[in-house]
Amino acid sequence: VQSFASDNGYSLPFACASDGAPFGPDYYVEYLPQTFVLSADGTIVQFFDGSRDYDTFRSALEEVLAQ
């Protein structure tokens, strides 16, 4: 995942398990991309399967920041 991100110019952080797999067996990740929105304490408060538009992400982040 990290080499893909680097090779393609992505600067966003990617979460991976210690073995390098996206998340690992404790998380059910069926779609790529899959985006998780976390609260300040690290709790998953929203997630999106597949791609979404800018306004959807912005709205989700604004909602979390308002908490």
Side-chain angles (χ1 to χ4, degrees):
V1 172
Q2 300 300 349
S3 62
F4 170 83
S6 178
D7 292 348
N8 290 282
Y10 292 104
S11 61
L12 298 170
F14 288 82
C16 295
S18 59
D19 65 0
F23 288 98
D26 295 331
Y27 297 89
Y28 182 69
V29 176
E30 183 176 357
Y31 303 98
L32 291 177
Q34 189 166 45
T35 301
F36 295 86
V37 179
L38 308 177
S39 65
D41 67 1
T43 302
I44 298 172
V45 293
Q46 290 192 43
F47 66 92
F48 302 97
D49 293 331
S51 62
R52 295 292 187 273
D53 61 73
Y54 173 83
D55 291 333
T56 300
F57 286 126
R58 183 174 179 101
S59 175
L61 293 173
E62 287 176 349
E63 185 177 323
V64 171
L65 291 172
Q67 296 176 357

